[in-house]
Amino acid sequence: MPTAPRRHALVVGASRGLGLVLARELVRRDWHVTATTRRQDGELQESAAVSQGRLTVESLEMTSRDGPAALRERLNDRPLDLLFVNAAIDRGDLPIDEVPTEMFTEVMITNALSPLRTLEALRGLVVPGGTVAVMSSEQGSISRNTEGGYELYKASKAALNQLMRSYATRHGDDGHTKLLIDPGHNRTRLGGPDAPLLPEESIPLVVDVLEAPAGSPGLRFLDRHGETVPW
């Protein structure tokens, strides 16, 4: 029997945590993965070195206005079956009236503006029927915001979700599957040491979700089990 063609993915923001585990899981499933990092060394580069060419690393500062466009040029029209953008920072649990303007701007640029700029710069590489996905969070759900805390982070993820809705509306006829993914509360630098999930437990479920709807146009906000998260 002929071998199925290898699928190609670009994972933006894979230097550590969920993005790193996602890149590794895709490689394990025989995807060819290009993964981006701001660092010149680290675990991502170590994984690439033992991947037998299935994982390659590109440098990207996503918050740079010109960074994503420069990456697009370097990729040289490489066709992608999956474009996944992973980016989030958290600057602590402050009531919104105590958040400095500079902190508000930093979090919103990193968590909301930069992911959408990156999608716009790179979406042309995604093949017809491919998937465009962004790492979101249940904490971006307005209807589920019934507990206090982390107001800036929640607002940034809600803004990300809203911007993704606008993106999906503008590009509704491109045939791409569009996903916002809530991976759950994971034990990462962002999620903290007491989080109930390990990335090695949750990310394989996330990849199941990413692989399942290929070729199904439209935008969905899903958790790691493929269940709809309310807006």
Side-chain angles (χ1 to χ4, degrees), residues 185-198:
H185 188 190
N186 282 267
R187 212 172 300 167
T188 63
R189 183 180 298 183
L190 181 68
D194 298 323
L197 295 171
L198 290 174

Side-chain angles (χ1 to χ4, degrees), residues 200-223:
E200 291 77 11
E201 298 169 339
S202 62
I203 288 300
L205 299 175
V206 168
V207 176
D208 288 344
V209 174
L210 292 173
E211 291 184 328
S216 302
L219 173 65
R220 281 167 284 177
F221 185 10
L222 303 176
D223 67 14

Side-chain angles (χ1 to χ4, degrees), residues 102-116:
E102 296 79 8
M103 181 187 295
F104 183 90
T105 302
E106 178 193 21
V107 171
M108 284 293 182
I109 287 174
T110 302
N111 293 4
L113 177 60
S114 295
L116 269 296

Side-chain angles (χ1 to χ4, degrees), residues 18-226:
L18 298 177
L20 176 61
V21 178
L22 176 65
R24 288 171 171 170
E25 178 65 17
L26 289 167
V27 168
R28 191 187 70 79
R29 299 190 189 201
D30 205 32
W31 286 69
H32 182 95
V33 179
T34 303
T36 77
T37 177
R38 294 179 297 173
R39 301 170 56 186
Q40 298 303 313
D41 55 13
E43 291 185 74
L44 181 62
Q45 284 81 354
E46 293 171 5
S47 295
V50 299
S51 72
Q52 298 181 328
R54 289 178 295 168
L55 174 62
T56 57
V57 179
E58 286 281 349
S59 178
L60 175 65
E61 174 51 74
M62 192 171 59
T63 59
S64 165
R65 187 67 179 91
D66 300 323
L71 175 62
R72 166 69 188 264
E73 291 298 318
R74 295 198 303 275
L75 293 178
N76 194 28
D77 292 329
R78 183 181 309 169
L80 300 173
D81 299 285
L82 170 66
L83 168 58
F84 193 101
V85 178
N86 172 54
I89 59 172
D90 174 33
R91 291 295 183 253
D93 185 10
L94 295 173
I96 198 64
D97 62 303
E98 296 180 14
V99 171
T101 301
E102 296 79 8
M103 181 187 295
F104 183 90
T105 302
E106 178 193 21
V107 171
M108 284 293 182
I109 287 174
T110 302
N111 293 4
L113 177 60
S114 295
L116 269 296
R117 281 179 171 172
T118 301
L119 288 187
E120 291 289 1
L122 299 170
R123 59 178 297 274
L125 299 175
V126 181
V127 300
T131 298
V132 173
V134 180
M135 195 77 84
S136 185
S137 170
E138 179 189 27
Q139 294 198 64
S141 168
I142 293 174
S143 62
R144 286 189 176 177
N145 185 12
T146 58
E147 298 180 1
Y150 295 94
E151 295 176 20
L152 176 54
Y153 180 78
K154 290 177 179 178
S156 72
K157 286 299 185 179
L160 172 69
N161 293 352
Q162 184 71 286
L163 290 172
M164 192 63 180
R165 286 292 295 263
S166 297
Y167 172 94
T169 298
R170 282 189 289 108
H171 300 301
D173 59 353
D174 63 7
H176 294 159
T177 297
K178 303 174 184 71
L179 299 174
L180 287 159
I181 298 291
D182 165 33
H185 188 190
N186 282 267
R187 212 172 300 167
T188 63
R189 183 180 298 183
L190 181 68
D194 298 323
L197 295 171
L198 290 174
E200 291 77 11
E201 298 169 339
S202 62
I203 288 300
L205 299 175
V206 168
V207 176
D208 288 344
V209 174
L210 292 173
E211 291 184 328
S216 302
L219 173 65
R220 281 167 284 177
F221 185 10
L222 303 176
D223 67 14
R224 66 188 185 281
H225 301 294

